[in-house]
Amino acid sequence: MSKITLSKLYEMKKSGEKIVMITAYDALFAKIFDDEVDMVLVGDSLNMSFGGHSETLGASVEQMIYHARAVRRGLKRAYMVVDMPFCSCATPELALQNCAKVYESTGCDAVKIEGGAHMADTVALLNRNGIAVMSHIGLKPQFSRFMGGYKVSGRGEEGAREVLSDARTLTEAGAVLLLVEGTIRSVANQVALGTDVPVIGIGAGAGIDGQVLVWSDMCGFFTEFRPKFVKRYLDGAELVKGAVREYAREVKEGGFPIEEFEYKQ
Ligand code: KIV
C-alpha cells in the first residue's frame, strides 16, 4: 500500500471516503496501526495515558520529539501528525522555532496546534515557511484548566459562531487540516461542509470527514475515566492483566520456564 499523502487525504474527502486516525506514542504500536489507519497522531495525550498525569499540560517539546521519532520508525504508510504541547506556540516566533525543530527532527508530515482564530498569524507564518499545520479547534484540552474543565463547544448561537469562525479564519490562514474536538454534530458538519480541508473529529459526530481516537482509550488501557465519545473496542487492561497473572502464577508454581525455553549445550 502506498504512503498516505496530503493530496490523498484531500481526495478522500472529495470522494466521501472516511479518514481514520489514531494516536500512537511509540514504534511498537505505530507499526501495528500503520496498515489499519490513514493517519497517526503523536498526541500530547501521552502526558496522561503514557506519563500518568491528570492533564495534557506539562508535555514538553523534547518529550514530543522523543515519542515522535519512535513513532516515525514504526510507520511506513500512514500520514503522521505531531502535537505541539502547551504554550510551545505562544507567539508566532516561538511557534516557528519549535515547529521547525519538531518538523525537521521527527520527519512528521504536519504539526497540530490547539487554538482558534487568534492562532491565524502563527499558522500563516508556518505555512509561508513550508510547515504543514493541522489546527485543533472546538474543545481544546490545553485550555481545560483555564476553562474549568472539558467544555463541549459549539452550543448555542454564539458557540456555533465561534467554532465556524475559527475554522474559516484558520483555513484562510493556511491550515491544511482541521481537527474538531468535543463539538455538537450540526456545527462540526457545517465546518466540514464549508471547506475543502479535511476535517477530522473526536466527539464531533459522524458527519465529518474522519475520526480520531486515543489508542489507549479505544483499546481499554486508559481506564481512569472514559469520555462520552470513546467506544472501547478491546478490554486491553484486563487482557494484559490476565496474561501477566498467568505468567506470575507459572513462575511461582514452576510451570515456566520449562525445557523448551532453555538453551542446550
Ligand atoms: O493529544 C491528543 O491525543 C489529541 C486527541 C485528543 C485528538 O489531541
Side-chain angles (χ1 to χ4, degrees), residues 44-184:
D44 63 355
S45 52
L46 63 82
N47 203 49
M48 297 171 75
S49 50
F50 193 91
H53 297 279
S54 60
E55 55 184 5
T56 60
L57 277 65
S60 66
V61 171
E62 285 65 35
Q63 247 176 305
M64 297 309 298
I65 289 175
Y66 172 83
H67 287 277
R69 280 180 167 160
V71 169
R72 178 77 278 163
R73 289 192 285 273
L75 297 180
K76 286 201 172 80
R77 182 183 156 273
Y79 187 93
M80 175 178 157
V81 181
V82 179
D83 233 351
M84 295 307 298
F86 180 67
C87 276
S88 61
C89 295
T91 65
E93 295 70 30
L94 184 64
L96 182 58
Q97 192 183 313
N98 283 326
C99 293
K101 201 161 144 190
V102 167
Y103 210 58
E104 275 173 354
S105 64
T106 69
C108 65
D109 297 301
V111 292
K112 176 165 84 61
I113 300 177
E114 282 186 30
H118 70 283
M119 296 306 286
D121 288 347
T122 297
V123 172
L125 179 64
L126 295 171
N127 196 15
R128 282 200 300 280
N129 282 278
I131 299 176
V133 178
M134 175 181 228
S135 284
H136 181 150
I137 60 172
L139 188 160
K140 298 175 281 292
Q142 290 175 10
F143 292 74
S144 64
R145 201 192 294 173
F146 177 76
M147 299 291 287
Y150 297 97
K151 308 276 190 230
V152 172
S153 75
R155 282 192 171 135
E157 259 179 51
E158 203 185 315
R161 221 181 359 256
E162 187 183 332
V163 175
L164 293 170
S165 139
D166 284 349
R168 198 170 37 251
T169 308
L170 290 163
T171 50
E172 281 171 8
V176 295
L177 292 159
L178 285 179
L179 189 147
V180 184
E181 177 166 357
T183 300
I184 61 168

